[in-house]
């Protein structure tokens, strides 16, 4: 069993290598800033208003305004599927109420609109330990 953000989880997929590949291609000139700084307005709104600050600088604009936004998806969640995780303790409520759902973590720069899927993992009562 793995832990992510103090929760027992399964099926962690980390997208760090994909992020590095995109940034390397951008720096080589194969991608433009318009190609990779394309965050949807709703993602930007969520990042600005409820995103958790992320340490470090943006790999595109070098700004220090990185945020982390988490979304939950799952058949059992019904109408809650696709929602932003907010407030923070809502994850615990979902884990206590549902057997399994997936959480997606998106990294967003609120200065330049860089965004990248950082990770996804499974949560729920089935994995509570």
């Amino acid at each position: 069993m793995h832990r992510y953000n103090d929760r027992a989880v399964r099926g962690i997929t980390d997208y760090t290598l994909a992020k590095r590949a995109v940034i390397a291609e951008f720096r080589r000139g194969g991608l433009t800033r318009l190609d990779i700084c394309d965050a949807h307005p709703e993602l930007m709104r969520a990042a600005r208003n409820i995103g958790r600050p992320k340490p470090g600088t943006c790999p595109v604009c070098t700004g220090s305004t990185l945020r982390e936004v988490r979304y939950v998806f799952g058949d059992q969640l019904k109408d809650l599927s696709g929602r932003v995780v907010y407030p923070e303790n809502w994850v615990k409520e979902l884990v206590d109420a549902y057997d399994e759902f997936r959480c997606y973590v998106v990294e967003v720069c609120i200065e330049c609109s860089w965004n990248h899927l950082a990770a996804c993992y499974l949560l729920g009562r089935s994995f509570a330990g």
Side-chain angles (χ1 to χ4, degrees):
M1 184 78 58
H2 291 86
R3 298 196 70 75
Y4 190 85
N5 291 340
D6 296 327
R7 294 263 173 246
V9 299
R10 288 216 176 134
I12 298 173
T13 303
D14 184 309
Y15 293 94
T16 301
L17 292 177
K19 173 183 169 180
R20 288 181 188 160
V22 168
I23 294 302
E25 186 67 20
F26 168 69
R27 290 186 178 142
R28 280 194 301 270
L31 294 170
T32 69
R33 192 166 170 159
L34 290 174
D35 292 327
I36 61 174
C37 293
D38 61 351
H40 188 276
E42 285 299 312
L43 177 58
M44 290 298 293
R45 184 184 62 76
R48 267 191 309 276
N49 296 312
I50 59 175
R52 297 187 308 185
K54 186 171 183 200
T57 59
C58 173
V60 177
C61 73
T62 67
S64 59
T65 56
L66 287 178
R67 300 288 189 273
E68 195 174 83
V69 180
R70 294 181 302 153
Y71 292 89
V72 290
F73 291 89
D75 291 339
Q76 291 181 3
L77 298 177
K78 300 192 191 293
D79 292 343
L80 299 177
S81 186
R83 299 249 178 125
V84 174
V85 174
Y86 183 79
E88 186 66 31
N89 63 348
W90 190 48
V91 171
K92 182 176 179 346
E93 292 175 27
L94 293 175
V95 167
D96 292 343
Y98 298 96
D99 290 332
E100 182 179 309
F101 59 94
R102 189 167 293 277
C103 186
Y104 290 84
V105 181
V106 181
E107 179 181 301
V108 183
C109 175
I110 59 173
E111 284 184 43
C112 73
S113 297
W114 154 261
N115 65 105
H116 192 77
L117 179 61
C120 68
Y121 49 90
L122 291 172
L123 287 168
R125 288 187 299 227
S126 299
F127 312 116

